[in-house]
Amino acid sequence: MGGESNKVFTLAEVSQHNNAKDCWLVIHGKVYNVTKFLEDHPGGDDVLLSSTGKDASNDFDDIGHSTSAVAMMDEFYVGDIDTSSIPSKVAYTPPNQPKYNQDKTPEFIIRILQFLVPLLILGLAVGIHFYTKSK
């Protein structure tokens, strides 16, 4: 892969390599083809696959990789990233959550009562049993 070492990729190009048969990552301005490493990665292939299509530097740093893991990355290096193609700030979009429905509140209370009332009756029965047995 020595011929490709000076190649510069855009994030759009790297983002196309986002599956188990072709997986590229961007870490600290460098592009790595980690396809052959997916099965051997100690954290599993899902960790690597979830970091495709973006700058995975923070993900990589948060884990605290060993020096041998960092050295191993040279083996997978394919080029550099065009830093102007990486968005400086990604807009946060909150996940869609169901709206709170007040009409379901009585249903929730009924379910709690269906659980607590039998427990209360059972506790009362056990208490009466022990109280009457001790006299």
Side-chain angles (χ1 to χ4, degrees), residues 2-33:
E4 292 183 82
S5 62
N6 293 333
K7 183 143 170 82
V8 176
F9 299 95
T10 64
L11 186 61
E13 291 173 318
V14 175
S15 296
Q16 294 173 359
H17 305 274
N18 61 0
N19 59 61
K21 295 182 180 182
D22 187 23
C23 181
W24 289 18
L25 298 178
V26 176
I27 301 171
H28 299 299
K30 295 183 179 182
V31 179
Y32 300 93
N33 180 351

